[in-house]
């Protein structure tokens, strides 16, 4: 077991900043993304949720094509950085309005931000790691990524339980 953990030390040390980017990205977006159905119910109503899911499925196909174009036109890191700004802007936007169309678009954008980040900056990070280190890197990346999502989902659930949905997300 000690040998297993010691094999991760150089990878952790070499890619610590990338792992932190994943952690902070997913701790900021994971809980919000996981709570979209609850936000939908509270802010928009359930009648449009099927349309929302259909549009998300379309974006799973279309958005990667757009990301490839913009990543080549600019840089993958610029597109990843833009996704972070768009996600933050969407979260702030939906907290400041009662307009259902703006809330719908903001929740839609929050979901799309993860796709933008993964297909742009995420791929650049993955390719920056030499092939002989990728197995260990992916293991550590996923620990940071899914750990952040778990913490974020727990934290948002705790906030909702302590106050309510509106207070937890600043509505």
């Amino acid at each position: 077991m000690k040998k297993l953990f010691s094999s991760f030390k150089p990878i952790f040390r070499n890619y610590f900043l990338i792992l932190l980017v994943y952690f902070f990205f997913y701790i900021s977006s994971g809980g919000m993304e996981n709570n979209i159905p609850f936000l939908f119910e509270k802010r928009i109503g359930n009648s449009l949720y099927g349309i929302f899911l259909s549009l998300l499925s379309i974006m799973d196909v279309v958005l990667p094509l757009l990301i490839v174009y913009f990543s080549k036109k600019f840089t993958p890191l610029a597109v990843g950085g833009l996704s972070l700004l768009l996600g933050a802007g969407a979260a702030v936007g939906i907290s400041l309005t009662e307009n259902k169309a703006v809330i719908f678009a903001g929740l839609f954008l929050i979901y799309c931000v993860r796709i933008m980040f993964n297909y742009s900056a995420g791929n650049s990070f993955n390719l920056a790691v030499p092939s002989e280190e990728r197995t260990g890197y992916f293991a550590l990346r996923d620990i940071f990524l899914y750990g952040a999502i778990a913490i974020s989902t727990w934290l948002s659930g705790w906030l909702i339980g302590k106050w309510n949905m509106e207070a937890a997300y600043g509505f």
Side-chain angles (χ1 to χ4, degrees), residues 6-168:
S6 65
S7 69
F8 284 113
K9 281 183 184 177
I11 295 168
F12 182 79
R13 187 174 39 255
N14 292 339
Y15 305 106
F16 181 71
L17 291 177
I18 293 174
L19 296 171
L20 276 182
V21 168
Y22 273 102
F23 181 80
F24 286 117
F25 176 79
Y26 281 97
I27 205 162
S28 64
S29 69
M32 180 71 95
E33 189 177 318
N34 287 339
N35 284 310
I36 283 176
F38 303 115
L39 294 168
F40 230 92
E41 180 183 1
K42 279 292 218 186
R43 302 296 304 279
I44 298 175
N46 292 331
S47 61
L48 295 176
Y49 192 61
I51 293 170
F52 180 78
L53 292 177
S54 297
L55 289 173
L56 293 180
S57 295
I58 292 168
M59 289 311 290
D60 283 336
V61 174
V62 174
L63 196 55
L65 299 173
L66 294 172
I67 293 166
V68 167
Y69 172 77
F70 286 111
S71 291
K72 286 183 178 181
K73 185 169 176 132
F74 303 105
T75 66
L77 294 178
V79 174
L82 176 65
S83 73
L84 295 172
L85 293 174
L86 288 173
V92 169
I94 64 175
S95 68
L96 296 176
T97 187
E98 291 298 320
N99 184 317
K100 290 182 181 197
V102 173
I103 295 169
F104 186 95
L107 293 175
F108 185 76
L109 191 56
I110 287 169
Y111 178 82
C112 291
V113 161
R114 179 182 47 84
I115 297 170
M116 288 175 65
F117 180 80
N118 284 340
Y119 283 96
S120 60
N123 283 341
S124 290
F125 293 153
N126 297 341
L127 293 173
V129 176
S131 60
E132 61 274 0
E133 293 180 346
R134 283 193 188 139
T135 304
Y137 164 76
F138 285 134
L140 284 175
R141 181 205 65 183
D142 286 354
I143 289 169
F144 275 70
L145 186 154
Y146 291 112
I149 291 172
I151 292 167
S152 178
T153 302
W154 172 82
L155 186 59
S156 62
W158 177 78
L159 289 170
I160 292 166
K162 183 141 179 79
W163 293 292
N164 58 36
M165 182 67 72
E166 288 79 11

